[in-house]
Amino acid sequence: MALLFLTGTAELIAQNKTAELKDFKLIIEKTDNGIKMRSEKGSAWIDLSFSLNNYRPQAVDEYGMTDLKKVSENKDENLADFLFTITKAENGIELKGIEGTAWTELKFSLADNKQQAIDQFGMTSLN
């Protein structure tokens, strides 16, 4: 009986989390110097580019680059409320979803100057 209750509660929490997510779509490109990102929807920024040393994370939210200790308290109803870190790994990209994503971690291969789209649910098509 307790197991049934816990399973039902976990499903309700997951459904509520998914229902609270707002749409965003970002295009990520790995460059020689770091990362380029373009926002298709859900953020206040259009283009971001920054240098990253391998395995050093950078926090990104709907307002752009941020520091995990100084996350913006401003909430705009027209923007998705998301926060994640992005890390340039040797052969790809590692993302850790902190807020506003259904995913907690994404890892994928990405060659230099190639692109990958992500949204609140994970990897998605470029179109």
Side-chain angles (χ1 to χ4, degrees), residues 1-3 7 9 13 18 33 49 55 61 72 79 82 85 89 105 107 121-122 124:
M1 185 71 160
L3 182 59
T7 304
T9 303
I13 291 169
T18 302
N33 299 332
S49 61
Y55 306 104
D61 68 8
S72 175
L79 301 176
F82 63 84
T85 61
E105 196 170 286
K107 294 181 181 182
F121 298 113
T124 187

Side-chain angles (χ1 to χ4, degrees), residues 48-126:
L48 285 179
S49 61
F50 44 91
S51 297
L52 277 182
N53 295 329
N54 283 352
Y55 306 104
R56 184 168 178 229
Q58 172 62 56
V60 176
D61 68 8
E62 66 271 22
Y63 295 104
M65 294 170 54
T66 188
D67 186 324
L68 289 176
K69 296 175 186 170
K70 298 178 184 176
V71 175
S72 175
E73 297 295 323
N74 294 334
K75 301 298 178 198
D76 185 329
E77 290 183 19
N78 298 318
L79 301 176
D81 184 19
F82 63 84
L83 175 63
F84 61 86
T85 61
I86 185 166
T87 305
K88 183 179 174 184
E90 190 172 321
N91 293 322
I93 302 293
E94 297 178 6
L95 302 168
K96 292 190 189 244
I98 298 168
E99 216 176 84
T101 64
W103 45 271
T104 55
E105 196 170 286
L106 291 176
K107 294 181 181 182
F108 50 90
S109 297
L110 193 62
D112 285 350
N113 304 312
K114 297 296 180 187
Q115 297 179 333
Q116 175 61 56
I118 64 161
D119 65 14
Q120 67 276 15
F121 298 113
M123 294 171 61
T124 187
S125 67
L126 288 169

